[in-house]
Amino acid sequence: MKRLIIITVILIAATAVVTVAYFKHLSPPGKRATQVINTIPESAALIFEFNNDSSFYDIYKNSDLFSAIVGQPAIKQFNALRHVLLNSPDLHGIFADQDIFISVHPQLNDSVGYLFTATEGMRINPETFTNAAKLKGTTFTPVNFGKSRGYQIHSDSLEADFYLAERAGQVITGSFSKTLLQESLDYKPSKKRKHFELLPDQQNSTSLGALYINYRQAGHLLNQFYRKDKLDLWKGLPILPAVTSLSLNYKRDALMFNGFTTFKNNQAVSYLDLFRKMNPVPVQLKNLFPSTTAYSNSYAIDDVKRFESELNNWQQIAGLNVQKKKLFTKIKSETGVQFDREFNRLLDNEFAVITTRFQERVAIIKVKNGGALRPYLNNISTMDTDDERGQFNYDQVPVFVLGDALAYFRKPHFMVLDNYLILANTERELSNYRENYVNGDFLIRKEEYAQFNNLLAQRANVEFFIHFKNAGNVFRRTLKSAYAKAYQQQDPGFKNYYAAAYQLSASENQFYTNLCIKLNSTDSTALSN
């Protein structure tokens, strides 16, 4: 009996030890994902997350949706890496059904580096890679990265060697760039600061993938692509103190993401911050975009008085309030018109800035009564002989009444078409837009644009839009030469896309966010065939 009691006690103790050990190493999916994403260096601008499951590859195996973005050379490298590493039968226990995080990092000489990070399904051991190396044309060479052990992977199917290493907590990381991998291994995550916010577990579990954006770092990435001071398309985004978490939804001919943009603090440092305190409104001004539109920035407000108040606060923080007051005091003394007050009284709920394929830039501002606004415009301008068009006599009026979005229009030429105030920096740009307006030559009249527009949220506060074919001529001049050449020549590439839109809709002082990138109809037809 005594012996039986001793055996029972030993079994109970053993069970307790095993149970504690099991649950100590068992982490819920959300916790493991947080652990992984926190090891990614803060230089990451974008992170794409997906599960290394055959169903994900099956869905997109015949699609140009991803290859058109990252380029055929990168896709070729990723596919080779998938066969050599992620889906290798000998490495199945390490990578099968694991969430893979591919992060994009700006590098020296305007280059871009990719970092692969994941949790291990099982611990790496030399024997595992010895068996994997039996694959013809592949070698796994042990390499030490400081205190971390790893491997240099060479394969005839890879155009460059791939470096792989283990981190603490069963996290594995790798890159084609040895420098970037070392940066990752040296990185010490901060417990206080989060550079990315994960999707909620429920949303992540039903998503095909996820896209995470850190706007500050994305700004550095954009600077790799664009010539100096040519980022007008992305006005305000690169300095937004926020991160975005988006889930991928399936659409055969489009990449569609949606989720939330979360602000890190309440300090207004970007013009876009003004719009998260509004309510989303129907976006209708896009119906007046000419068929030659290359890209546009659109803004919508639900309360003009609140916008005026927020803009005043923003300009005061920016140190512009003295200059603003001085300008409108001068206009009042010289013309008798308190222009800012009259303009705000007649302002409606939308305005936009468009750039055409000919690099013309036009602002469209919706007003409540164009006829009532015209006399006030005449008072502060020099009018043409036909009295239909004129040019402002005072500098920076548009930026002080509507904010940074109108900063390009210092002393613009203007005209009023029905209830729309049109601004441009040259008379020719005004004339060309008027011709589009009178003839009804708008993008919305094009069937493919109408199809694209149906994929978008119909209510928003901020929208960035690109028409890829029309934008080609503009990007030839604004992108750095290597990227401009790739934009024009790469196949598949951005020319395989029809259009893209990035929408921000205010929601509880944050932004609900939509991203849509649609293939050309010809490409999507070929895909279905």
Side-chain angles (χ1 to χ4, degrees):
M1 183 69 179
K2 183 178 180 181
R3 183 182 178 187
L4 180 61
I5 292 173
I6 293 172
I7 293 173
T8 302
V9 170
I10 292 173
L11 287 173
I12 292 173
T15 302
V17 169
V18 170
T19 302
V20 170
Y22 174 75
F23 283 103
K24 183 179 179 181
H25 291 90
L26 183 64
S27 299
K31 187 175 180 180
R32 292 304 302 276
T34 301
Q35 178 188 5
V36 173
I37 204 169
N38 285 343
T39 67
I40 297 174
E42 60 187 62
S43 62
L46 311 169
I47 300 175
F48 180 68
E49 176 195 4
F50 67 98
N51 189 269
N52 186 38
D53 175 78
S54 60
S55 60
F56 178 83
Y57 302 109
D58 289 341
I59 289 173
Y60 293 106
K61 66 181 178 180
N62 294 321
S63 174
D64 284 338
L65 282 168
F66 286 106
S67 58
I69 288 182
V70 301
Q72 190 60 35
I75 284 294
K76 184 179 178 181
Q77 289 282 74
F78 294 164
N79 282 335
L81 184 65
R82 177 163 66 94
H83 292 298
V84 170
L85 195 65
L86 299 183
N87 291 355
S88 168
D90 296 296
L91 305 178
H92 184 270
I94 299 174
F95 297 107
D97 299 322
Q98 298 300 308
D99 288 333
I100 308 296
F101 295 79
I102 303 177
S103 51
V104 183
H105 301 253
Q107 300 289 284
L108 295 176
N109 301 319
D110 294 332
S111 61
V112 175
Y114 299 96
L115 185 71
F116 298 75
T117 310
T119 53
E120 300 169 301
M122 56 177 272
R123 296 304 298 268
I124 292 177
N125 62 72
E127 184 180 348
T128 303
F129 283 108
T130 300
N131 293 330
K134 294 177 183 178
L135 184 68
K136 185 178 179 181
T138 303
T139 58
F140 291 80
T141 305
V143 178
N144 288 326
F145 299 94
K147 297 180 180 180
S148 301
R149 64 171 182 159
Y151 294 87
Q152 179 177 350
I153 304 171
H154 174 83
S155 174
D156 292 344
S157 60
L158 291 171
E159 295 181 5
D161 288 353
F162 187 79
Y163 301 92
L164 191 72
E166 283 186 293
R167 293 182 61 114
Q170 285 189 262
V171 174
I172 192 167
T173 184
S175 178
F176 290 105
S177 167
K178 195 173 182 178
T179 302
L180 181 55
L181 176 59
Q182 191 64 59
E183 178 189 343
S184 173
L185 296 172
D186 293 340
Y187 178 66
K188 305 298 182 188
S190 171
K191 294 182 179 180
K192 295 182 179 180
R193 287 193 305 165
K194 288 185 178 181
H195 300 289
F196 293 94
E197 290 284 343
L198 283 169
L199 289 172
D201 289 344
Q202 184 176 1
Q203 186 178 0
N204 199 16
S205 65
T206 60
S207 173
L208 288 170
L211 178 66
Y212 304 103
I213 304 170
N214 183 320
Y215 290 102
R216 295 297 182 88
Q217 294 303 321
H220 294 313
L221 184 66
L222 289 171
N223 286 330
Q224 303 276 75
F225 303 151
Y226 283 84
R227 300 178 190 273
K228 188 177 180 180
D229 300 326
K230 298 295 183 181
L231 288 175
D232 56 300
L233 166 59
W234 310 105
K235 190 75 174 177
L237 272 180
I239 59 172
L240 203 63
V243 293
T244 290
S245 307
L246 305 174
S247 60
L248 172 63
N249 304 297
Y250 178 70
K251 188 85 170 67
R252 180 179 57 84
D253 59 348
L255 289 172
M256 297 187 66
F257 295 87
N258 61 71
F260 275 93
T261 293
T262 306
F263 284 75
K264 293 183 178 180
N265 54 59
N266 290 321
Q267 184 178 3
V269 295
S270 170
Y271 174 67
L272 300 182
D273 189 80
L274 307 182
F275 296 89
R276 65 180 171 126
K277 299 176 182 179
M278 303 289 154
N279 292 313
V281 297
V283 183
Q284 299 175 338
L285 208 56
K286 65 177 75 175
N287 295 338
L288 299 180
F289 290 178
S291 60
T292 55
T293 300
Y295 54 79
S296 65
N297 304 359
S298 301
Y299 308 89
I301 55 179
D302 69 312
D303 187 328
V304 173
K305 288 185 177 180
R306 190 195 314 175
F307 175 74
E308 180 186 356
S309 174
E310 294 294 337
L311 180 61
N312 283 336
N313 293 338
W314 160 250
Q315 290 175 336
Q316 186 168 358
I317 293 171
L320 300 174
N321 55 318
V322 174
Q323 187 180 352
K324 178 178 181 178
K325 184 177 180 180
K326 184 178 179 180
L327 172 65
F328 290 116
T329 300
K330 181 181 179 180
I331 292 176
K332 170 70 173 176
S333 66
E334 295 180 354
T335 67
V337 175
Q338 190 64 50
F339 185 79
D340 53 339
R341 184 184 64 197
E342 300 301 337
F343 180 86
N344 287 325
R345 181 175 64 83
L346 293 168
L347 177 64
D348 209 323
N349 63 352
E350 286 187 85
F351 55 97
V353 177
I354 60 173
T355 300
T356 72
R357 60 178 300 185
F358 306 111
Q359 288 195 293
E360 300 167 321
R361 187 177 283 150
V362 176
I364 308 173
I365 303 162
K366 187 178 180 183
V367 296
K368 296 172 182 174
N369 187 325
L373 179 64
R374 191 189 298 273
Y376 300 115
L377 294 169
N378 291 2
N379 279 339
I380 68 166
S381 306
T382 299
M383 301 304 295
D384 290 349
T385 53
D386 61 6
D387 210 34
E388 293 293 322
R389 292 182 289 187
Q391 183 177 11
F392 285 13
N393 293 328
Y394 300 91
D395 191 26
Q396 292 189 298
V397 170
V399 73
F400 283 129
V401 292
L402 289 175
D404 293 17
L406 278 293
Y408 304 108
F409 304 94
R410 301 284 301 242
K411 287 186 176 180
H413 295 263
F414 78 90
M415 62 184 174
V416 176
L417 297 174
D418 299 321
N419 289 328
Y420 303 99
L421 170 61
I422 314 299
L423 305 179
N425 285 323
T426 67
E427 290 187 40
R428 181 189 177 105
E429 289 169 313
L430 277 186
S431 297
N432 288 343
Y433 181 79
R434 187 179 188 282
E435 184 177 346
N436 285 108
Y437 186 88
V438 171
N439 294 329
D441 187 12
F442 301 126
L443 265 181
I444 195 66
R445 300 281 181 91
K446 310 296 181 182
E447 181 179 353
E448 192 161 10
Y449 178 82
Q451 293 173 0
F452 170 77
N453 193 48
N454 286 337
L455 300 177
L456 306 182
Q458 297 307 301
R459 289 174 175 264
N461 295 102
V462 181
E463 180 176 305
F464 301 89
F465 167 76
I466 307 175
H467 185 290
F468 287 103
K469 183 177 180 180
N470 287 344
N473 290 331
V474 181
F475 287 153
R476 188 181 296 134
R477 298 175 177 87
T478 58
L479 292 175
K480 293 179 180 177
S481 57
Y483 292 106
K485 183 177 180 181
Y487 186 93
Q488 300 294 333
Q489 298 181 1
Q490 194 166 275
D491 189 18
F494 281 103
K495 63 184 179 182
N496 294 81
Y497 288 114
Y498 172 72
Y502 195 71
Q503 297 177 295
L504 303 174
S505 305
S507 176
E508 298 181 356
N509 217 27
Q510 308 292 341
F511 280 132
Y512 187 76
T513 307
N514 291 287
L515 169 62
C516 177
I517 311 175
K518 185 183 179 300
L519 286 170
N520 285 313
S521 293
T522 51
D523 293 300
S524 58
T525 301
L527 176 63
S528 63
N529 291 337

